[in-house]
Amino acid sequence: MNLYEKYPISLTNSLSGKKEAFVPINVGSVGMYVCGPTVYSDVHLGNVRTFLTFDVISRYFRHLGYKLRYVRNITDVGHLENDADEGEDKIAKKARLEKLEPMEVVKNYTEGFHEVLRQFNMIPPSIEPTATAHIVEQIEITKKLITNGFAYEVNGSVYFDVTKYNESHDYGILSGRKIEDLMESGRKLDSQDEKRNKIDFALWKKASPYHIMRWPSPWGDGFPGWHIECTVMSTKYLGETFDIHGGGMDLKFPHHECEIAQAVGANGKNPVNYWLHSNMLTVNGQKMSKSLGNSFLPRELFTGNHALLERGYSPMSVRFFMLQSHYSSTLDFSNEALASAEKGFKKLSNSLGAIKNLTAVVSNQTNTELVKELNRMVDDCYLSMSDDFNSAKAIAGLFVMSARINDFKSGNTSLEQVDIETFEKFKSTYVDMMEKVLGLKEETDADGSHLNGAIQVLIELRKKARADRNYALSDKIRDDLQAVGVQLKDGKNGEISYTIE
Ligand SMILES: [Zn+2]
């Protein structure tokens, strides 16, 4: 029996708003598309959470024995500064400001994005297509939408006719928005506007003479709209109807709503069976945003080099911290929560090292109750993950297992009480859940845990030196640490934190 038959997955489908049994289109296979980054700036932590959610989901599908094709795109053209098809293309703007070719901007930030995901131990997707490599397909589907009567051309641009589409279909099926409300809100169209209705969106935009990113099309030189690339790349690699489409909650409207309308308008088929959305990050209870000054980059989190951070946290501690919440809940960042996640991770990580060194023993004195308990722990971990990928519950299960591992290690519970098969299953479940499914790996010195310990020792010595009024020694500790790139920060109440350059 396959693991996926033993522990069938249920997931919360944003389309129905309900938890549903997962039934793939092809038995034993899963096709999943996730909206990737627009590569015009450093990837922020909110994006990291989204990609981490789908990293764990893809790891779990594979671990259960599914053959998975995971497609995550790179948006390298067409994402304008706001959702109303207005403003400059984000990449073209960055290129202009930095005096670079747009493709230099794309390359720099794509590499940075990959590096961050690698630090967090994420596995690359099966295919990572780019929008600029699929211009031909985007033109083709736009032509099809015009032919099917769902799109119109004005002055070299092509727009999707939402009102027309809504006559025969349901625009708002995913987000629950009503077309009448959308028509009421926001700014009114004026005589400058090309759109028939304000809720229409661009499939193709005419390029002004100064616009650098441009391609020839039946409507003149231009570039694709943002939503159309995902419709093209998902259906090209996964089929006109595929299993799962994921992304951050902020993409549900308009991006994903538009994807459905485009696919239905072009192919006459509902493109996606299950929509999954991961929730937002908050900082000390507030929404994380650049304008509030409370958003930090992954590297600031690792070094602690940010006004809101008391110190740095290792990538694995942050990964663990994020997985301690269900992906559909908001997740709040605070120094306390990070520090406690770091401790928790260390505990589970120690047990991981311990169980790898334990081997089952042949015995004729097995304890039936204990054997039952270990088997239940194994089931609990899988059932939690199969219940809408509940990593938070699975981690709670690992803590229970960790306590047992410590009993075995200390000899409090003899390994002779467990039969070999049960112990091996218990051991492989713990190791697989930690490493393969949750993607947590033991951290070495270079990753910071021992280094942090050593620096804390020096910080305590410095506090003692100051208390003894031995300022020569306390200054020497500070200066010598600074010389090797460790910056001490004196905080309130005599607390000392540090950052590593
Ligand atoms: Zn997308």
Side-chain angles (χ1 to χ4, degrees), residues 186-450:
R187 145 187 114 77
K188 298 259 174 288
L189 286 186
D190 57 36
S191 56
Q192 303 290 305
D193 282 294
E194 295 172 339
K195 295 180 189 178
R196 288 183 190 161
N197 287 295
K198 61 194 264 187
I199 48 172
D200 296 352
F201 56 89
L203 299 167
W204 187 262
K205 288 282 273 186
K206 179 187 178 157
S208 72
Y210 311 104
H211 197 92
I212 337 174
M213 302 179 83
R214 55 200 301 140
W215 290 265
S217 81
W219 318 285
D221 274 10
F223 57 95
W226 173 37
H227 313 307
I228 196 72
E229 65 170 90
C230 284
T231 296
V232 159
M233 290 185 272
S234 57
T235 55
K236 173 167 178 170
Y237 297 108
L238 299 171
E240 288 184 356
T241 300
F242 55 96
D243 297 306
I244 297 177
H245 191 314
M249 198 82 101
D250 51 333
L251 295 182
K252 205 191 247 186
F253 188 87
H255 188 55
H256 292 160
E257 194 70 64
C258 295
E259 274 189 51
I260 295 177
Q262 290 166 160
V264 172
N267 305 322
K269 281 182 196 160
N270 177 30
V272 178
N273 286 342
Y274 305 93
W275 284 89
L276 296 185
H277 289 99
S278 65
N279 214 324
M280 304 283 120
L281 283 184
T282 54
V283 183
N284 299 321
Q286 264 192 322
K287 186 176 182 267
M288 185 184 268
S289 87
K290 270 188 192 154
S291 55
L292 290 171
N294 68 353
S295 101
F296 25 77
L297 297 172
R299 68 165 173 276
E300 292 169 330
L301 194 56
F302 302 153
T303 59
N305 209 351
H306 189 283
L308 284 174
L309 294 165
E310 282 165 10
R311 61 180 171 86
Y313 301 90
S314 72
M316 282 305 103
S317 304
V318 178
R319 184 175 172 114
F320 180 78
F321 166 71
M322 290 191 181
L323 295 178
Q324 272 188 304
S325 292
H326 189 254
Y327 71 87
S328 66
S329 323
T330 55
L331 171 61
D332 191 47
F333 259 79
S334 67
N335 284 287
E336 297 75 46
L338 281 163
S340 113
E342 190 178 61
K343 264 193 207 147
F345 171 58
K346 205 166 173 50
K347 207 167 164 187
L348 293 191
S349 185
N350 288 341
S351 300
L352 182 62
I355 199 165
K356 282 181 179 171
N357 291 321
L358 292 175
T359 28
V361 288
V362 186
S363 125
N364 51 9
Q365 31 181 301
T366 52
N367 172 339
T368 332
E369 278 310 305
L370 180 62
V371 166
K372 255 197 223 160
E373 186 193 317
L374 296 191
N375 278 312
R376 199 169 51 235
M377 289 178 189
V378 167
D379 280 343
D380 279 351
C381 266
Y382 279 102
L383 293 173
S384 301
M385 282 307 293
S386 283
D387 179 12
D388 206 7
F389 312 102
N390 198 332
S391 57
K393 253 173 89 185
I395 286 174
L398 291 174
F399 275 112
V400 178
M401 290 173 96
S402 157
R404 269 293 172 216
I405 293 169
N406 292 341
D407 287 341
F408 288 131
K409 189 187 165 197
S410 65
N412 275 352
T413 308
S414 162
L415 279 168
E416 291 186 354
Q417 293 191 46
V418 190
D419 63 280
I420 294 183
E421 195 197 336
T422 303
F423 183 77
E424 287 304 327
K425 195 162 71 174
F426 176 78
K427 178 175 174 173
S428 66
T429 300
Y430 190 85
V431 174
D432 287 349
M433 279 290 160
M434 285 289 283
E435 295 184 339
K436 288 192 185 155
V437 177
L438 300 177
L440 297 162
K441 53 179 186 183
E442 290 175 77
E443 286 181 323
T444 56
D445 274 4
D447 291 323
S449 61
H450 289 84

